[in-house]
Amino acid sequence: DYAHEKGLFVIADIKRGDIGSTAQAYADGWLAGTKVGEETYKVFDADCVTLNGYMGSDTLKPFLDACKANDKSMFVLVKTSNPGSGELQNVTAGESMIYQRMGDMVEKWGEGTVGKYGYSSVGAVVGATYPEEAKVLRARLPRTFFLVPGYGAQGANAEMLKNCFDGNGLGGVVNNSRGVLCAYKKRGGSYDEAARAACLDMKADLLGVLGAICAK
C-alpha cells in the first residue's frame, strides 16, 4: 500500500504455479480481487507477479486472464539464476533446451498484449548469472520483457547482464534485493542511508554498461 501511495510499480515475487481452482484463487488474491458474495475485495492487489510455469500452461491461464482483465502483468520463470537451474532447464528436449522452450511459450502467451513500447504483459525471469543463455533468449523473445535476478549478492555484475537488454538498452528490470536490504551490514551507518547508497552505486554500474549500448 505504501509503495502504491508513492506511485511505485509493485512486483510480488510469489512464484506460484498450481492447477485448477488453486491457481484461480491465487490469481484472484494477488491480481484480480476475491469475490465474497456479491462483493469483490482487492487483497494484495499487486501490479505484477512472478510465476512458475513448469507444470504447464493451465497453471498460468488464470493469471493471464487476470492480467488482461485488470491491466496487470506477470513474469514467468524461464532461466533462473540459481546454480542448480541447469539440472532441468538446460536439458535438451527435441531441437532446443527446456529453458528455450519455456521462453517460446512465454512469448506466445504474450501475444495480443503488446503495448506501445513493443513488449507484452507476459515477461520472463532470466538470471544475470547466465549471460550466454540470456543472449539466446533476448534474440529469441523480442516482445518479452525480462526480470533479471542475480545481480549483486548472487555474483552477477552489469557486464554480465547486458545481454538481457535490447539494442536500445531497454527491455528489462534488474532485481537487487540483498544488495540493497542488507547494505548496512557492509557499509555501516543507518539502514536507510546504506540502502540509498547501494541503489546509487547500482544505478551508476548499470548506466556504465547500458549507457554504452544506448550510445551505439
Side-chain angles (χ1 to χ4, degrees), residues 8-192:
L8 297 176
F9 185 86
V10 177
I11 303 172
D13 189 20
I14 61 174
K15 295 187 178 73
R16 295 295 190 269
D18 213 322
I19 59 174
S21 59
T22 305
Q24 185 64 61
Y26 280 134
D28 291 344
W30 286 96
L31 296 174
T34 300
K35 190 172 183 179
V36 180
E38 298 301 318
E39 299 292 330
T40 298
Y41 298 91
K42 295 289 187 177
V43 186
F44 296 102
D45 199 26
D47 299 303
C48 178
V49 293
T50 59
L51 303 170
N52 187 344
Y54 279 101
M55 281 180 65
S57 58
D58 55 325
T59 67
L60 300 185
K61 186 178 185 304
F63 292 93
L64 182 58
D65 291 343
C67 288
K68 290 179 178 178
N70 296 275
D71 192 26
K72 298 200 174 186
S73 56
M74 61 196 225
F75 285 110
V76 181
L77 302 182
V78 174
K79 177 56 187 173
T80 56
S81 59
N82 57 301
S85 67
E87 294 171 1
L88 172 64
Q89 296 166 17
N90 285 61
V91 172
T92 299
E95 298 181 354
S96 59
M97 292 185 181
I98 289 176
Y99 83 87
Q100 295 170 343
R101 294 190 66 175
M102 178 58 74
D104 293 344
M105 292 170 71
V106 169
E107 181 83 356
K108 183 173 179 58
W109 289 327
E111 291 178 354
T113 69
V114 176
K116 64 180 180 179
Y117 296 109
Y119 290 98
S120 79
S121 61
V122 184
V125 177
V126 179
T129 47
Y130 294 100
E132 292 307 311
E133 286 88 338
K135 184 176 182 179
V136 170
L137 289 169
R138 183 70 283 164
R140 200 175 181 113
L141 314 178
R143 294 178 297 278
T144 299
F145 201 83
F146 288 2
L147 172 62
V148 187
Y151 179 88
Q154 294 187 53
N157 55 36
E159 184 65 27
M160 292 171 68
L161 60 79
K162 68 180 182 181
N163 289 340
C164 294
F165 295 83
D166 64 23
N168 296 314
L170 305 174
V173 58
V174 181
N175 180 61
N176 182 20
S177 298
R178 280 174 286 169
V180 174
L181 295 174
C182 300
Y184 71 97
K185 294 182 179 180
K186 291 184 177 181
R187 296 171 179 267
S190 66
Y191 173 87
D192 55 343

